[in-house]
Amino acid sequence: MSLQRYAFCVVLLSRALLGCRASQFFTVDEELNTVRDLENRILDLVESTIRYYLRPDVDNENVNLNLMLGVSIMKGQFMSCTEHSRINYNTRFYKMYKLNTMIRNLYVKFYKNNLMDSMRTILDHKLWISPQTLKHKSNITLPAKIWFDEDILAYGDAYFRNISDKCIGQVISSCRVTYECFQLEFQKQFLGYALTHQVLYIHLLKRMKCNNLKHRNVLKEIIQYKCSTIFEEAQNMAKDFEMLDRYKDLFIEQIAVCGMQNMVDFFQPEWFLIIVSSIKHNKCTQHKNNKSSCDSHLTGVSLAALGVYWKFLCYQVNKYGAY
């Protein structure tokens, strides 16, 4: 399927998800066939990517936590659309069955060198299942020039590198919410990687159901606000080719993290093409020892984002009761 065809298919779906009228040129059956075709193309992309990392010439170090977290989020997104039990009973059962077998084999390859219990917890796909309701962004205006404020970026980067992973680890390992983490994870001035990690942290607080957390009922609203900010940030990035090329992994991470929250505004035809392109043209290196390596973080977030888009496609098919 060409990139132009991908764009055409996603336009059809985004029109439906965002509440616009269906095209007068297509019947429901034609649109459903288009969506089904795109679903399967996404699964083909995922399968070819997983197959690469299962190759014996791919170094085990490249099957790392960055990659596997993306795989787990992707799997959680697949499982988010289980109404009418599509995954179990659709006519493409074999394709999904084969893909799940490959994913299990990839977990086996990863766990040969990574045995920490906390890793098993964060890689549980049940943690990454989406809420049931679709959401739209709030109206937030983010100045484009803020992206070029070196002080803001440096502060967020320091948080992201030195604190965020520790805070997420505390929640995963012991459901512990420290004052330091709570204060930083809910601050408003972060952007970039720091902001997406804040959403991940709050998402985990919701899913882990930690007993010592007060005001749990406001977490959804906080996530919606932060993802609305992320959407504006992503829009600014998408308009700046140099910035997009430099932070492509962040851009796709933003789509994955907030798409996982069912924020349908992140379902954009042009953005989907960037995901497809990144996973098709991920730069891989062949080393002297005949081992091969790719950018595992970019691959991981791309797989997670593909899972998000597949979920939205699945929602649309279920809307028509196709299965």
Side-chain angles (χ1 to χ4, degrees):
M1 180 182 280
S2 68
L3 293 182
Q4 290 77 15
R5 177 64 177 167
Y6 272 120
F8 170 74
C9 294
V10 178
V11 166
L12 290 179
L13 178 63
S14 59
R15 183 188 297 121
L17 282 172
L18 295 173
C20 302
R21 294 178 61 187
S23 170
Q24 60 180 324
F25 301 109
F26 295 92
T27 67
V28 169
D29 285 343
E30 287 172 330
E31 290 201 18
L32 281 174
N33 286 334
T34 300
V35 171
R36 287 171 180 160
D37 183 50
L38 186 53
E39 277 185 312
N40 280 288
R41 297 293 181 171
I42 289 175
L43 294 181
D44 288 340
L45 273 176
V46 171
E47 181 181 328
S48 64
T49 304
I50 300 296
R51 190 183 303 280
Y52 167 81
Y53 281 93
L54 286 172
R55 283 168 33 181
D57 64 317
V58 174
D59 199 310
N60 287 343
E61 292 182 359
N62 289 282
V63 183
N64 55 29
L65 186 59
N66 283 327
L67 175 69
M68 297 310 299
L69 182 57
V71 170
S72 298
I73 292 174
M74 177 191 71
K75 189 174 180 182
Q77 292 302 284
F78 287 164
M79 298 307 298
S80 296
C81 185
T82 56
E83 188 178 356
H84 308 308
S85 301
R86 290 189 67 249
I87 289 180
N88 293 324
Y89 296 107
N90 69 24
T91 56
R92 295 162 182 86
F93 169 80
Y94 176 71
K95 183 185 289 289
M96 186 62 77
Y97 173 80
K98 183 171 68 170
L99 181 58
N100 280 330
T101 300
M102 293 173 65
I103 290 172
R104 283 197 298 271
N105 291 337
L106 192 63
Y107 278 114
V108 170
K109 186 173 183 177
F110 172 75
Y111 283 127
K112 283 182 179 178
N113 299 303
N114 301 275
L115 300 176
M116 293 175 61
D117 290 339
S118 59
M119 287 188 178
R120 291 187 179 274
T121 302
I122 201 170
L123 295 182
D124 183 352
H125 70 272
K126 297 184 184 68
L127 276 181
W128 308 109
I129 292 176
S130 294
Q132 293 301 307
T133 55
L134 298 178
K135 300 176 183 177
H136 292 269
K137 68 179 183 67
S138 306
N139 291 323
I140 293 175
T141 301
L142 187 68
K145 65 180 181 181
I146 200 171
W147 244 106
F148 301 95
D149 189 315
E150 295 296 333
D151 291 336
I152 291 178
L153 292 177
Y155 180 50
D157 189 58
Y159 154 82
F160 163 67
R161 294 183 184 279
N162 301 323
I163 300 174
S164 179
D165 285 349
K166 180 184 73 173
C167 293
I168 288 175
Q170 288 175 352
V171 173
I172 289 297
S173 62
S174 61
C175 232
R176 189 157 59 96
V177 182
T178 64
Y179 177 79
E180 177 192 26
C181 288
F182 188 85
Q183 288 292 102
L184 286 170
E185 295 287 7
F186 286 86
Q187 281 188 17
K188 291 184 178 181
Q189 68 264 40
F190 289 131
L191 294 171
Y193 298 103
L195 184 54
T196 58
H197 271 235
Q198 283 185 318
V199 174
L200 285 174
Y201 179 84
I202 299 169
H203 172 85
L204 288 170
L205 287 182
K206 285 172 51 187
R207 298 296 298 181
M208 294 290 291
K209 299 180 180 178
C210 302
N211 293 328
N212 60 341
L213 181 66
K214 298 179 180 179
H215 311 299
R216 185 184 302 277
N217 57 326
V218 303
L219 295 182
K220 292 181 182 179
E221 288 74 16
I222 293 173
I223 285 179
Q224 184 169 4
Y225 174 84
K226 289 186 178 296
C227 278
S228 298
T229 303
I230 288 173
F231 179 80
E232 295 301 317
E233 188 181 13
Q235 273 199 318
N236 289 334
M237 212 187 313
K239 296 173 184 176
D240 187 318
F241 179 80
E242 182 179 347
M243 191 64 69
L244 181 61
D245 185 60
R246 181 179 176 185
Y247 291 106
K248 183 181 292 184
D249 64 329
L250 169 61
F251 178 76
I252 298 175
E253 182 176 306
Q254 292 171 328
I255 296 170
V257 168
C258 290
M260 181 175 62
Q261 305 302 325
N262 272 357
M263 301 286 289
V264 296
D265 299 276
F266 285 82
F267 199 101
Q268 302 282 337
E270 297 83 1
W271 295 7
F272 184 57
L273 296 185
I274 295 171
I275 301 168
V276 173
S277 176
S278 74
I279 209 161
K280 281 189 169 184
H281 304 117
N282 194 351
K283 295 178 181 178
C284 301
T285 304
Q286 192 75 30
H287 302 287
K288 292 181 179 180
N289 60 358
N290 293 323
K291 293 290 185 179
S292 179
S293 64
C294 290
D295 184 339
S296 296
H297 182 258
L298 180 59
T299 303
V301 295
S302 297
L303 288 172
L306 285 177
V308 164
Y309 274 68
W310 187 94
K311 172 194 66 181
F312 283 134
L313 288 161
C314 177
Y315 284 165
Q316 188 61 17
V317 171
N318 281 348
K319 176 182 176 182
Y320 291 112
Y323 291 94

